[in-house]
Amino acid sequence: MNLIDQLNEELLKVVKSVFKDLGAEFSDQHNTLVCFEISDTHEHGDFSTSCALKLSKKLNKKPAEIAELISAKLSVPWIEKSEILGPGFLNVYLDIETKANKLKELIERGPNYGKNKKNNKKILLEFVSSNPTGPLHVGHGRGAVLGMALSNLLENSGCEVTKEYYVNDAGRQISILTSSILLKAYATNFNVEGMYEGAYIHEIAQEFLKDHEKINVSLSLEGLSDDKEKKLDQISEYFQINHKEAWEAANSFSIMRILNVIKEELHSFNIIHDNWFHESSLGFVQDPSSDLSKSLSIIEKAGHTFSEGGAIWFRTTDFKDDKDRVLLRENGAPTYYLTDVGYHKNKIDREYDLCINVFGADHHGYIPRLTAAFDVMKNKKQAIEFMLYQLVNLHEDGSKRIMSTRKGEFYSLKELRNELGPDVIKFFFLEKKSDHTMDFDINLAKDESKNNPYFYSQYAHVRCCSILTKKSFDPSEAVEEKEIMKNFDIVNRLLTFPHLVESYAEERSPHSLVHYVKDLSAAFHAFYEQSPVINEDKKIENARLMLTMATKIVLANSFRILNVQPLEKM
RNA sequence: GCGCCAGUAGCUCAGCUGGAUAGAGCAGUAGCCUUCUAAGCUAUUGGUCGGGGGUUCGAAUCCUCCCUGGCGCGCCA
């Protein structure tokens, strides 16, 4: 158990006993109020609690008096002193020997420092799930990077995480993609508005021709509608009826090709999904054993559906949605919504405790209806959660680069990666709170100086490594305790890491870890300047080597969670 | 019109389940290289926390109204 958790346990005991002494009743509601926090400045000790202020009303006593009572009873061997300041804050100071021992422990644990024990919680994390109709763009990249870091954070706190990509390999968009490929292959000059465009379509069409020399298609596309959308559907229909073989071949070929492109891109970011779940595997709604029909009948049996206009609706307005939603269309075909409901039925059956969906913020309207379906279908203890990420604006030389999937001038993730490398992109994406539009400064990402937080943090790790190649920490030798006292800032950051990283996981906030890394790096750079590690005084040297070693470990562990490779040389 | 997210220093952002004097970085200003990488450090300027009300010992944080920006409101996917 880490120090602050131990301390909190003790505090809770003490507070309960104070309640008893005063003849007041302690209810479990008070539990969350009773805890220590990491002090913001040295003057407030190592840990501080404001619980006396919070309980003041309950106990009908002045905060400072309560703090006094708590302080008198609080007996933790490794607390050197405690003091009451301000309106009733109780601040405690750890003794130096304990800190030194904790630092040694940290070094012993190495890569495992900050990791929690397994907790048997099974989590399904769905992220990216971009339609296989084109390469990933920068926005998808943010979701991908975020999902991976979140997964690492959750695994670090002992959860078992399955990373899944939902492949929309059925439906209209895929039909349009297939038509686009076939037209590009067999009717070079036939341009239709709304078809997929771009170099990748051309490439896939060429490869398709090469791989399918036997297939021959001669087109006679006449009498097409003037309506743009109708026209697209007519073309798909035409191929499916008149060139069935070519259609089926092109359909699976293009999905496969594009998925490979997506997979490769994710791999170059070291983002690896455990499962690729295909929409087509959900089956047909006519088949009673399919996930689609199973989920439909559960919702029907639960009495949440009604018929209107020939369609079957889910009364999601009973679940805080702003409109009711169609599950089964008038023509008997499932809506996209129903397929997603079926997919979640599948997740539920795989018995995950928690399903997390990482969504682009433009899908936020989808949350109430999906939650509604999930809540109707789930087993008792299952939960669903959403994590949203907002747009990325690329900035260069003070102006904005344009990105839009629809216009074909989209800025692909690959282009950005080729320009900057994957790790700096990950670091920048993770630095900002996910549910916040972010400005990505390309010039800054390229900068190799302290102005670039990625560079700055890596440089701290490099400096640690550089020193440690010259000399290494010897745990059997004595360390100068004054050094630990002097470097309060860095020591406290190191020792509170396990507690902090755990809370970042609970709060689903990888960005906090990035800020932690920046802060720790800054503390180390300052230490590096004022405290030459290689030193004539062996006790001082060993203490500084210990701090260097511990910093290196914690930085490396943090980088690992962020899915960024720590550099040893620059 | 309804819903979601946001508005904090000149810029980019933390802090938001109420707590101590609102924090970083950049930019600005003034310093520091015969010493483990100056790819760095130190000091310092700069804030009516979008605005008005309210809740209380205490509000950037909670409630309410308003203003501004982004996104979303299909028997599309």
Side-chain angles (χ1 to χ4, degrees):
Chain A
M1 204 192 311
N2 61 54
L3 288 171
I4 194 164
D5 288 345
Q6 275 180 51
L7 195 54
N8 284 337
E9 216 167 71
E10 178 65 22
L11 178 68
L12 194 60
K13 269 189 219 160
V14 168
V15 168
K16 279 180 180 169
S17 130
V18 167
F19 265 70
K20 206 175 169 189
D21 292 351
L22 296 173
E25 198 167 321
F26 187 89
S27 85
D28 286 342
Q29 291 171 354
H30 302 144
N31 274 349
T32 51
L33 304 178
V34 179
C35 64
F36 273 95
E37 279 159 32
I38 297 160
S39 300
D40 47 1
T41 98
H42 191 12
E43 283 123 51
H44 297 152
D46 291 306
F47 301 115
S48 62
T49 177
S50 59
C51 69
L53 290 120
K54 287 171 180 158
L55 297 171
S56 158
K57 210 173 244 176
K58 285 278 163 208
L59 291 170
N60 201 15
K61 235 176 168 27
K62 281 185 185 158
E65 286 173 26
I66 300 170
E68 204 58 65
L69 293 172
I70 294 172
S71 172
K73 287 199 172 203
L74 197 66
S75 90
V76 177
W78 37 267
I79 297 280
E80 193 181 60
K81 66 166 178 171
S82 60
E83 57 188 20
I84 295 156
L85 282 182
F89 291 97
L90 175 61
N91 303 329
V92 300
Y93 292 78
L94 269 55
D95 77 58
I96 294 296
E97 207 187 322
T98 302
K99 287 191 178 185
N101 289 337
K102 283 283 164 187
L103 285 170
K104 283 181 190 165
E105 249 177 61
L106 182 166
I107 291 169
E108 270 170 42
R109 294 206 64 199
N112 290 319
Y113 179 67
K115 259 189 205 167
N116 259 13
K117 282 183 196 138
K118 293 260 176 263
N119 63 15
N120 290 327
K121 190 166 182 180
K122 273 182 73 186
I123 299 177
L124 181 84
L125 180 67
E126 183 205 330
F127 65 112
V128 191
S129 298
S130 127
N131 282 349
T133 50
L136 297 173
H137 59 69
V138 172
H140 295 132
R142 190 177 190 187
V145 165
L146 180 69
M148 192 63 193
L150 184 60
S151 168
N152 288 344
L153 258 180
L154 293 168
E155 276 181 353
N156 189 77
S157 35
C159 304
E160 188 188 310
V161 184
T162 305
K163 301 183 286 289
E164 190 157 285
Y165 189 118
Y166 179 60
V167 183
N168 291 106
D169 62 345
R172 182 163 180 263
Q173 291 309 316
I174 293 297
S175 295
I176 295 173
L177 173 73
T178 307
S179 301
S180 305
I181 298 295
L182 285 171
L183 283 180
K184 200 80 191 167
Y186 299 108
T188 328
N189 295 320
F190 196 81
N191 291 320
V192 180
E193 201 195 341
M195 289 283 170
Y196 287 97
E197 293 166 43
Y200 73 99
I201 294 290
H202 184 76
E203 264 171 47
I204 294 170
Q206 292 310 310
E207 286 168 20
F208 178 74
L209 283 172
K210 231 188 254 170
D211 278 26
H212 300 80
E213 284 175 344
K214 281 183 215 155
I215 296 179
N216 202 5
V217 174
S218 56
L219 296 174
S220 59
L221 282 163
E222 279 162 15
L224 292 174
S225 167
D226 288 337
D227 182 82
K228 182 187 145 196
E229 300 299 324
K230 257 191 191 158
K231 198 176 190 177
L232 292 171
D233 292 335
Q234 283 177 334
I235 294 170
S236 301
E237 246 172 70
Y238 167 81
F239 280 119
Q240 286 176 69
I241 292 166
N242 300 299
H243 302 282
K244 198 170 176 233
E245 193 195 352
W247 174 267
E248 277 166 9
N251 188 280
S252 52
F253 185 83
S254 41
I255 292 169
M256 195 256 302
R257 295 297 315 194
I258 293 178
L259 272 185
N260 279 343
V261 168
I262 291 173
K263 255 181 224 185
E264 267 172 35
E265 190 54 33
L266 290 174
H267 283 195
S268 29
F269 277 85
N270 192 31
I271 292 168
I272 318 281
H273 286 83
D274 304 304
N275 268 341
W276 292 71
F277 190 98
H278 288 249
E279 180 187 344
S280 52
S281 72
L282 291 169
F284 298 97
V285 72
Q286 294 80 3
D287 172 6
S289 68
S290 71
D291 287 316
L292 291 188
S293 74
K294 274 196 268 181
S295 50
L296 183 60
S297 64
I298 290 172
I299 298 169
E300 278 178 330
K301 273 181 197 156
H304 297 297
T305 57
F306 65 96
S307 294
E308 195 182 293
I312 297 176
W313 296 67
F314 180 3
R315 203 184 309 278
T316 52
T317 47
D318 287 350
F319 299 84
K320 294 181 191 163
D321 198 2
D322 52 358
K323 281 173 191 163
D324 293 325
R325 308 289 168 179
V326 171
L327 289 166
L328 209 56
R329 288 179 205 145
E330 194 184 349
N331 64 7
T335 56
Y336 175 81
Y337 174 48
L338 178 56
T339 59
D340 238 358
V341 170
Y343 173 40
H344 281 80
K345 165 68 182 153
N346 188 290
K347 288 183 183 176
I348 286 167
D349 288 346
R350 282 185 276 159
E351 297 188 324
Y352 288 102
D353 301 304
L354 174 64
C355 296
I356 303 178
N357 292 14
V358 179
F359 276 1
D362 53 343
H363 284 74
H364 74 264
Y366 212 68
I367 294 174
R369 76 191 83 155
L370 209 48
T371 308
F374 191 90
D375 286 344
V376 170
M377 300 187 298
K378 71 178 180 182
N379 301 321
K380 260 185 210 161
K381 285 180 184 167
Q382 293 178 305
I384 188 164
E385 206 178 280
F386 297 86
M387 192 157 174
L388 296 177
Y389 62 91
Q390 299 270 5
L391 287 179
V392 179
N393 295 316
L394 295 182
H395 287 270
E396 190 172 30
D397 304 326
S399 66
K400 214 169 174 177
R401 283 196 192 175
I402 300 160
M403 308 178 298
S404 151
T405 35
R406 287 171 200 162
K407 287 177 189 158
E409 349 167 74
F410 59 85
Y411 206 79
S412 78
L413 186 57
K414 188 177 180 178
E415 285 172 89
L416 193 65
R417 176 172 57 80
N418 285 338
E419 204 170 335
L420 301 172
D423 279 4
V424 65
I425 298 175
K426 289 187 240 183
F427 198 87
F428 272 49
F429 277 174
L430 292 171
E431 188 192 1
K432 306 288 155 62
K433 232 170 31 181
S434 70
D435 194 9
H436 199 299
T437 356
M438 74 170 291
D439 292 316
F440 190 106
D441 185 338
I442 293 176
N443 301 101
L444 184 60
K446 283 180 181 165
D447 188 14
E448 301 197 341
S449 81
K450 71 194 181 83
N451 297 0
N452 178 344
Y454 167 75
F455 208 87
Y456 181 80
S457 306
Q458 286 283 19
Y459 186 40
H461 185 260
V462 168
R463 278 182 151 175
C464 293
C465 293
S466 158
I467 293 167
L468 292 166
T469 53
K470 296 190 170 66
K471 281 217 169 142
S472 60
F473 168 63
D474 184 348
S476 62
E477 289 289 320
V479 295
E480 176 55 61
E481 289 188 344
K482 272 184 198 153
E483 284 298 312
I484 293 167
M485 196 121 74
K486 233 174 76 185
N487 293 292
F488 171 89
D489 215 31
I490 194 164
V491 169
N492 270 30
R493 282 200 166 81
L494 292 171
L495 294 183
T496 52
F497 177 71
H499 172 76
L500 289 173
V501 78
E502 177 63 26
S503 67
Y504 300 156
E506 274 167 27
E507 289 157 15
R508 321 276 187 253
S509 63
H511 77 276
S512 300
L513 184 55
V514 178
H515 287 277
Y516 174 87
V517 166
K518 289 199 298 187
D519 289 345
L520 177 57
S521 300
F524 184 77
H525 283 306
F527 162 77
Y528 180 95
E529 291 292 331
Q530 71 194 25
S531 312
V533 175
I534 311 294
N535 205 287
E536 281 180 11
D537 183 323
K538 288 301 149 196
K539 265 178 91 176
I540 289 178
E541 179 177 275
N542 208 37
R544 292 180 180 172
L545 280 167
M546 179 170 79
L547 290 178
T548 306
M549 186 77 199
T551 304
K552 180 191 136 132
I553 288 167
V554 172
L555 282 177
N557 292 0
S558 303
F559 276 126
R560 193 199 70 239
I561 293 170
L562 297 171
N563 195 24
V564 167
Q565 183 73 39
L567 301 176
E568 303 202 343
K569 270 186 189 168
M570 276 161 79

